[in-house]
Amino acid sequence: MSNPTISTDAKIGNLFLEFPIQPPFDVTDALDATAMTVLPFSDGLTLGWKVNPMLFVDGLGRDLALYCPTIVLTGGKNTSESDVHLYAVAAFYDENNRLLSAQTSRHLVGVGELYDIPGLVSRFPCPVQLISKASVTLFFSGIESWDAPKLHLFPIQTRKTERENKTIPIENLMFYHQIKRLVVPATGPLFTSEVLTGHNALEIQLEKTESHGNTFLSLSQRQKTSSKKREFDCLVHYALYHETGQLVHGGSCMGLANQGDFVSLSPIEPEILKETNLFLELSVWEGPVGNL
C-alpha cells in the first residue's frame, strides 16, 4: 500500500477512479443507473451511479425518507474458475470537492454469479443536486486478466485543509468540514477529534478493531452537551486517502448522536493502516431532531 498504483498482476489489482457528475435537474432523473465507465473484468460490466430512495429512523423514532447516492456494478458475470474478492470504496463530493458521503464494502463474487457491490448506500440528508463528483476505489483478487483503465487523480494537497462551518440551505442544517493529516499510531485510537459541532458539542473517535479474522474501523461518539433533552441530531461521514490523494477507505455513522451510544463499523484492508501517513476528511451535519 505504500505506492497504491494500478497493478497488472493476474492475481490482485486495484483501481482508483474519479468521475465528474452532472447534477440531475430532478431526483427522478437519477433513479436509474447512469454509466460512468466499462470495467474489463467481464463482458458488459459497467460501473455507474444512481440514487436510492431509503427509509431511516430519525431521532424521534419516526421513518425519515431520504434519497441516497450509491455506486453500482451492472451487466457482468464472473465467468472465471475462481471466486473474485472485491473491496470497494465510494465517495461523493460537491462542486468545491468537499466530501458529501462515503461508504466501504467487502464482497465475494462466486463463480457464475453477477458482479455486485452491496452496502455502498449511506444516509444523505442533502439534495442530490449538490453532487458534482464521485470517487471509486476497487481492490480485487481472483481476476485472471484485465486492462487498466485511465486514472483521474485529484491530489489531496489541493483540497482545502482548514476547518469550515457552513449552513446548508435546507432544513436549517449546519455543515462542518475539515481535512487533516492522519499519522497512524502504533497503538490506541487512530483519531480523536476536538469538538466538531455547536449544539451537541460532538466529538468522535476512530479505532481499529478485529472480528472473526476481519479488520474494521469503528466510529464512535462522545457528546459533551449537558442537556438531557436531545434537540439536535448529528451525522458523520469520513474518508481516508493515501498521501497522493487516492481514496482508500470511507464510512459513516448514520444517525450519530440521536440514538444514544452508537458505533459504526466499516471493513478496511489491514494493509491500508500500515501506511503511516494518511489524510482524513470529515463532514458532519447537525440539525434539529427529525432531519437526520
Side-chain angles (χ1 to χ4, degrees):
M1 285 299 300
S2 57
N3 294 293
T5 56
I6 282 185
S7 168
T8 55
D9 187 276
K11 299 299 182 182
I12 190 168
N14 48 59
L15 301 178
F16 300 89
L17 305 168
E18 293 199 345
F19 306 90
I21 288 178
Q22 177 63 44
F25 292 105
D26 186 84
V27 69
T28 57
D29 297 332
L31 294 179
D32 294 324
T34 300
M36 294 190 293
T37 190
V38 174
L39 294 179
F41 304 162
S42 174
D43 291 339
L45 182 60
T46 302
L47 180 73
W49 83 283
K50 61 177 292 188
V51 299
N52 290 338
M54 304 285 291
L55 286 178
F56 299 94
V57 177
D58 70 11
L60 300 176
R62 305 170 304 188
D63 286 338
L64 177 65
L66 298 172
Y67 288 101
C68 303
T70 182
I71 294 295
V72 293
L73 283 180
T74 59
K77 186 169 68 172
N78 180 13
T79 57
S80 68
E81 297 181 355
S82 61
D83 296 336
V84 174
H85 295 260
L86 291 176
Y87 168 88
V89 190
F92 292 89
Y93 306 85
D94 68 6
E95 62 181 0
N96 294 311
N97 290 298
R98 291 175 301 214
L99 179 70
L100 293 175
S101 69
Q103 204 59 266
T104 300
S105 173
R106 184 183 287 120
H107 187 55
L108 184 146
V109 183
V111 176
E113 292 183 352
L114 294 176
Y115 277 96
D116 189 16
I117 42 174
L120 294 180
V121 179
S122 53
R123 191 182 295 237
F124 189 76
C126 297
V128 295
Q129 286 83 2
L130 290 179
I131 297 174
S132 180
K133 187 185 73 173
S135 290
V136 181
T137 293
L138 290 175
F139 294 102
F140 53 86
S141 62
I143 296 173
E144 296 176 357
S145 64
W146 60 286
D147 297 320
K150 187 177 180 181
L151 273 176
H152 302 279
L153 291 183
F154 189 88
I156 194 70
Q157 289 86 346
T158 64
R159 296 181 187 270
K160 292 183 178 180
T161 56
E162 69 272 17
R163 177 173 170 176
E164 297 179 279
N165 295 344
K166 180 182 178 181
T167 302
I168 299 293
I170 176 174
E171 301 295 339
N172 300 315
L173 298 184
M174 287 296 296
F175 179 68
Y176 305 86
H177 175 265
Q178 60 179 289
I179 296 176
K180 62 187 304 174
R181 184 178 291 274
L182 178 66
V183 179
V184 179
T187 60
L190 274 69
F191 172 74
T192 300
S193 78
E194 73 280 9
V195 173
L196 295 174
T197 63
H199 294 286
N200 279 344
L202 183 75
E203 296 179 358
I204 64 169
Q205 188 166 276
L206 274 176
E207 292 184 277
K208 173 185 173 183
T209 184
E210 305 281 348
S211 179
H212 301 288
N214 295 313
T215 303
F216 299 87
L217 282 192
S218 65
L219 174 62
S220 57
Q221 63 153 316
R222 294 189 299 181
Q223 191 174 344
K224 294 293 187 178
T225 180
S226 59
S227 174
K228 294 183 179 180
K229 182 179 179 182
R230 186 161 291 167
E231 298 177 351
F232 291 86
D233 293 341
C234 293
L235 168 64
V236 177
H237 287 277
Y238 72 92
L240 295 181
Y241 306 87
H242 185 263
E243 59 185 352
T244 58
Q246 295 164 327
L247 177 71
V248 292
H249 181 71
S252 65
C253 214
M254 299 191 291
L256 193 68
N258 68 12
Q259 296 178 26
D261 294 331
F262 192 81
V263 176
S264 179
L265 295 175
S266 292
I268 188 170
E269 294 295 291
E271 290 78 11
I272 293 172
L273 297 179
K274 293 179 182 178
E275 181 64 43
T276 56
N277 290 308
L278 298 168
F279 279 88
L280 170 67
E281 183 172 14
L282 289 172
S283 292
V284 186
W285 280 272
E286 183 179 54
V289 169
N291 289 274
L292 297 175

